[in-house]
Amino acid sequence: MTEADDAQGGRASEAWAPGDQILWRYLRNGRVLDCRPVTVVRDDPDQLAVWLAGGTRRVKPVLPDGSDVRTAPLGNRFRLGLIPAVQEWFGTGVLMLARPGEPWSVWLFWGPDRRLNGWYVNLERPRERWSGGVDTEDLVLDVWVTPDRRWHFKDEDELAASRDAGRFTDAEVDDIYATGRRAVEVVKAWGPPFCDNWEDFRPDPGWPLPDLPDGWDALPRTA
């Protein structure tokens, strides 16, 4: 998926093949603020798995002056507005896993020695597939899981700050925590995808680095 026309296409109905390049995007208020060109590892009715390679040009949200969001004081972090900026994804790469209908995705991080650092459970809206990738919305709260299966909530302070700034209501925050607790139950049971040996994954060295296409911020047609 490299053409702007494809980025503006309709909803996807067919599975992607291993090696296909798609976009994994996070929207807010109908605007793309985070766009990650990724390579498909697996796509079937039970699992979408994609690889975000180190060195990939991607889009991330930054403050209006171009600085990183976390440089702003917590109380202002969700009040200053965000703009998309093209930056390079550094590190050894991330495997991103999503099961249909689950309001989270699970990311695996490795160190330079290829030892697993941990599992990052990103709470998000159920993903909507389109011809060029998947779209969702980040829910701020996350769960970090260590290789020895210990877990803790992450970014609780940011979720509270986003509520205070009016992004989420109290009821929505309660729902987000309920979603987090559901994810934790999967962790405690060591259900999919944790039990599926993804920690042994290695990307195909022949995969080219995905491009960030023109039209990366175009929304798919609905008709």
Side-chain angles (χ1 to χ4, degrees):
M1 199 293 300
T2 58
E3 299 296 330
D5 287 345
D6 203 18
Q8 296 168 348
R11 298 297 173 188
S13 59
E14 297 182 358
W16 295 298
D20 283 351
Q21 296 179 0
I22 65 172
L23 300 179
W24 188 301
R25 309 191 302 183
Y26 289 91
L27 282 64
R28 188 183 304 178
N29 298 324
R31 183 185 183 199
V32 180
L33 287 177
D34 188 313
C35 177
R36 307 174 184 204
V38 294
T39 301
V40 174
V41 176
R42 167 183 160 186
D43 181 29
D44 58 39
D46 296 323
Q47 185 87 79
L48 172 63
V50 302
W51 175 246
L52 175 58
T56 300
R57 290 177 64 249
R58 48 75 62 108
V59 174
K60 67 172 292 186
V62 299
L63 297 175
D65 65 0
S67 58
D68 187 87
V69 173
R70 285 185 167 83
T71 63
L74 182 61
N76 292 335
R77 203 167 291 174
F78 295 90
R79 301 177 186 272
L80 298 175
L82 297 172
I83 61 172
V86 177
Q87 297 186 7
E88 187 173 305
W89 184 277
F90 293 102
T92 57
V94 180
L95 182 67
M96 303 172 66
L97 309 171
R99 294 169 60 80
E102 284 187 343
W104 59 77
S105 57
V106 179
W107 308 351
L108 281 75
F109 288 85
W110 289 269
D113 58 358
R114 293 304 302 177
R115 289 189 179 184
L116 182 69
N117 287 339
W119 312 70
Y120 185 93
V121 183
N122 193 72
L123 303 188
E124 57 196 38
R125 306 289 184 196
R127 290 145 302 281
E128 294 188 0
R129 292 171 64 105
W130 53 285
S131 60
V134 295
D135 288 349
T136 182
E137 179 188 355
D138 185 72
L139 296 178
V140 181
L141 186 68
D142 308 297
V143 183
W144 178 252
V145 185
T146 63
D148 60 359
R149 306 187 185 185
R150 291 177 295 161
W151 66 271
H152 66 266
F153 283 125
K154 185 178 182 296
D155 297 331
E156 292 184 273
D157 57 345
E158 291 196 342
L159 181 59
S162 67
R163 177 199 58 209
D164 294 343
R167 178 178 171 186
F168 298 116
T169 65
D170 289 345
E172 287 171 329
V173 168
D174 289 343
D175 288 343
I176 291 169
Y177 268 104
T179 296
R181 289 190 292 271
R182 286 172 52 199
V184 166
E185 289 305 310
V186 177
V187 173
K188 291 179 177 178
W190 211 243
F194 303 99
C195 61
D196 294 334
N197 299 316
W198 284 109
E199 60 268 30
D200 299 325
F201 168 79
R202 297 295 182 270
D204 186 332
W207 284 339
L209 201 65
D211 292 325
L212 180 66
D214 294 336
W216 57 263
D217 57 346
L219 298 182
R221 293 190 296 266
T222 57

